[in-house]
Amino acid sequence: MNGKEQIAAAIERILSELDGRAELLAATKTVPAELINFAISKGVRLIGENRVQELLEKYDAIDKKNAQIHFIGHLQTNKVKYIIDKVSMIESVDSIALAREIEKQAAKRDLSMRILVEINVGNEPGKSGIAPEETESFVDALAAFPHLIPCGVMAVPPKNCTEEEKKKNFQKISQKFLDIRAKKEDNKEWSIVSVGMSGDYLSAVENGSNLVRIGSAVFGERNYGGENNTK
Ligand SMILES: *Cc1c(COP(=O)(O)O)cnc(C)c1O
């Protein structure tokens, strides 16, 4: 993992590269709360956690006055109740069952939860996300849940592909976002395209992303001690 000097320099460089075109979310899996707070002190305003248990362990120590937390990993329905009052957005909504549970837990606490629809843009078998061709009907179905605020789309595109294929995937995701926005003209909340990670965020931004989720380019390579959990 990077030291503080490297983290500060990386944040400064990335913010200047983004130049206001996209928001920076720091993906903080495996990163201790102290370094998360250091990143926040250097201008990070959004952090993203992948695992419920890890988020709960770090939650009290995270500087929540100066940053908001998004949930960005696969979320099991039985764990929604633990995070519903701790995150400002759930980016990884990928089933009606999950949407229904978020609705239930949000209603219980009389709050509204902002969500993104996760798209499996490459139709990869075994990967989380709604198939691209089903995204519009999925978003229509979310209208049944009054405590959910659908704010846009999120994706983790296929990894092993050419620059050209990557670009096509970014464009496909942005186009889905735009197609749905065209039907939601009066809905200002529908405003977020969350795509782009350490290796490809500039290409993502050039192809329609306005929220990039960056981990290793800020914090250095992670050691998972095994299989990684990004899918
Ligand atoms: C880890 C993670 C990222 C960041 O990945 P890097 O390649 O380290 O930038 C982005 N999105 C999700 C969902 C992740 O789990």
Side-chain angles (χ1 to χ4, degrees), residues 69-125:
I69 304 172
H70 286 190
F71 195 81
I72 62 173
H74 182 69
L75 182 56
Q76 289 171 270
T77 52
N78 63 345
K79 296 194 173 159
V80 172
K81 57 179 176 287
Y82 301 119
I83 64 157
I84 190 77
D85 57 348
K86 297 184 173 60
V87 300
S88 66
M89 181 179 282
I90 297 173
E91 295 202 9
S92 42
V93 175
D94 61 356
S95 72
I96 288 293
L98 178 58
R100 184 179 296 119
E101 180 64 15
I102 298 170
E103 167 66 25
K104 181 179 153 192
Q105 298 298 335
K108 233 185 203 175
R109 288 164 183 78
D110 198 22
L111 56 81
S112 295
M113 180 53 65
R114 298 163 74 225
I115 62 148
L116 301 183
V117 174
E118 181 169 0
I119 303 178
N120 180 359
V121 64
N123 288 100
E124 293 175 273

Side-chain angles (χ1 to χ4, degrees), residues 27 29 50 72-73 154 156 196-199 213-217 222 224 229-230:
K29 55 179 172 275
N50 284 70
I72 62 173
M154 177 271 211
V156 183
M197 314 202 297
S198 291
R213 308 180 310 268
I214 301 184
S216 51
R222 294 170 294 267
Y224 294 97
N229 58 5
T230 62

